[in-house]
Amino acid sequence: MSAHPYDHGHTVAGWTGCGIAVAGTALLGAGVCTVSGPLLAAGAAVDVLALLVTWALHLAGWGKPSGPRPREEWSWRVRDSGARAGHAECLGCRWAGRRGGTAVVPAPAPVTVTAPVTAPGERAAEVDAVGAGG
């Protein structure tokens, strides 16, 4: 049994993305060793594909946010129930338009400031006090 409450990313999204990224990085390495532009381009394309697949699986609930979770949610076969709303500090969720966990704070009401009403030809006392010092 583990002494810590963390699940270290053992998810379908994590393993799938890692597998695709390893294949892409192997292509990049082969392209560097053989000085081959097409292999470099293919490796870079596969690595971008890994990123997109991982993101899509995360948004579908097969990736979990980092941090402590109940032990029953540690299995990689368990989907993340909070994925649909988004994770509070997840860049991928924010890019997908999911703001999860962040409370929407309404904008404060505008404050209307009115000038003191004075008779024609009179100036307000505050204006005199400010104007007299200068």
Side-chain angles (χ1 to χ4, degrees):
M1 183 169 138
S2 178
H4 57 81
Y6 291 93
D7 173 22
H8 293 288
H10 302 292
T11 64
V12 173
W15 284 108
T16 304
C18 183
I20 296 170
V22 165
T25 304
L27 281 173
L28 278 169
V32 168
C33 291
T34 61
V35 191
S36 170
L39 275 178
L40 289 172
V46 171
D47 279 344
V48 169
L49 177 68
L51 175 74
L52 295 175
V53 166
T54 304
W55 186 30
L57 285 171
H58 173 77
L59 293 176
W62 291 110
K64 300 172 190 168
S66 60
R69 251 185 307 287
R71 188 124 172 104
E72 59 272 5
E73 294 180 15
W74 281 20
S75 173
W76 64 273
R77 293 179 186 96
V78 177
R79 287 181 82 169
D80 181 19
S81 59
R84 186 167 296 270
H87 304 111
E89 303 208 6
C90 177
L91 181 62
C93 288
R94 282 185 286 179
W95 282 354
R98 299 177 182 180
R99 299 286 180 201
T102 57
V104 177
V105 180
V111 177
T112 306
V113 178
T114 57
V117 178
T118 58
E122 289 183 11
R123 292 177 24 174
E126 297 87 29
V127 175
D128 284 341
V130 172

